[in-house]
Amino acid sequence: MAILGIDIGGSGVKGAPVDTVRGELLDERHRVPTPQPSDVTSVVEAVAQVAERFPGFERVGITFPGVVVDGVTRTAANVDKSWIDAPAAQLFAERLGAPVSVLNDADAAGVAEVAFGAGKDQPGLTMMLTFGTGIGSALFLDGTLIPNTELGHVELHGADAELHASDRVREAEDMSWEKWAGRVQDYLRHVEMLLSPRLFVIGGGVSKKADRYFPLIDVRTPFVPAALLNNAGIIGAAVAAEQAGAAPGPVEVPAGHPAS
Ligand code: BGC
């Protein structure tokens, strides 16, 4: 039975069944607009609308654009504040009638890129950054996720970095690619100073246009565009749900091999 991945974004809630071995969608993804205001009740309904399109799923992975600890959403920088301390995994599971894993959106995108995309087989510290409504971050040490890093909120030029260099700000201020690339460069230099990653993987919708701004960026750390683009969140969420489902239960001892 299929595992569904659902990605809650600033403008859309998108989902599809995922082949978690190949890292591919098994069906065309379904999208509904993110409700405004994006309060808990409305977003749970939007997620249910997406899930209903793909009946017969076994479990569901869901991304959320904020900190998620043990299925509870802890912050809500770009969504309605009703999400702060909401028991998200439990609410989704009750509504969908299936086991649910919830993880941060950038962490999910990173999980997919490290498993199947631009971060595959990378040793040492890899940093995935997503430039969209906010700036999301996901850190991996030798392929293992260090969750909820929230590096989009480091201070840059006296303000929250995502208010300076997100893609939303580029669009809102109708910035030239040169100007925005300069801001992204300032930001990348700041985080490379803090953490010295071996590789930046740059994601978010704007990574489709990497040719417009990558050549204008000069930092010490190698940087590459995300490979899975729009589907990274959906795929990573499903992979996380699958891993949660496969978490070790009681060890079965085969007949004839008594536990000693
Ligand atoms: C949130 C992060 C999220 C990022 C991208 C930030 O404002 O704090 O949790 O990953 O936006 O959506």
Side-chain angles (χ1 to χ4, degrees):
M1 271 213 297
I3 300 190
L4 276 192
I6 298 182
D7 191 18
I8 301 174
S11 56
V13 177
K14 299 138 279 184
V18 174
D19 177 336
T20 54
V21 175
R22 291 164 176 267
E24 289 167 4
L25 303 192
L26 289 166
D27 202 341
E28 208 170 302
R29 62 191 212 156
H30 183 55
R31 178 186 190 278
V32 302
T34 304
Q36 298 302 337
S38 52
D39 58 278
V40 175
T41 312
S42 314
V43 173
V44 168
E45 277 317 302
V47 164
Q49 244 181 296
V50 172
E52 273 154 21
R53 182 71 159 251
F54 309 103
F57 48 85
E58 178 191 353
R59 49 179 59 244
V60 187
I62 300 176
T63 77
F64 176 76
V67 171
V68 187
V69 179
D70 293 336
V72 177
T73 46
R74 293 291 190 196
T75 67
N78 293 307
V79 283
D80 187 79
K81 302 301 174 222
S82 56
W83 284 97
I84 296 174
D85 294 336
Q90 187 191 328
L91 296 171
F92 286 125
E94 282 167 10
R95 180 65 182 81
L96 302 179
V100 168
S101 305
V102 185
L103 75 165
N104 172 263
D105 56 356
D107 284 347
V111 164
E113 290 293 334
V114 163
F116 309 108
K120 197 162 185 245
D121 298 328
Q122 287 295 324
L125 195 66
T126 300
M127 189 184 292
M128 164 103 196
L129 294 168
T130 62
F131 291 82
T133 308
I135 297 177
S137 65
L139 265 192
F140 293 83
L141 184 61
D142 294 328
T144 301
L145 173 67
I146 302 162
N148 292 313
T149 43
E150 292 293 314
L151 295 173
H153 297 294
V154 293
E155 191 178 310
L156 191 65
H157 304 309
D160 194 311
E162 76 174 21
L163 301 178
H164 186 70
S166 69
D167 191 43
R168 175 176 53 187
V169 171
R170 178 185 69 82
E171 284 184 347
E173 296 183 17
D174 201 14
M175 252 180 252
S176 66
W177 288 107
E178 287 73 17
K179 182 165 182 192
W180 188 63
R183 292 187 173 200
V184 172
Q185 174 175 291
D186 284 354
Y187 176 67
L188 295 179
R189 285 186 177 176
H190 189 65
V191 288
E192 79 181 354
M193 180 273 291
L194 291 171
L195 289 160
S196 301
R198 291 215 195 155
L199 178 71
F200 286 125
V201 178
I202 309 290
V206 72
S207 59
K208 272 182 287 193
K209 297 177 190 154
D211 56 322
R212 310 287 277 276
Y213 65 99
F214 269 37
L216 307 171
I217 294 175
D218 178 22
V219 294
R220 278 185 301 152
T221 310
F223 56 102
V224 292
L228 302 165
L229 299 174
N230 284 343
N231 293 329
I234 295 174
I235 294 170
V239 168
E242 215 232 342
Q243 287 168 354
V251 177
E252 285 181 27
V253 181
H257 293 80
S260 54

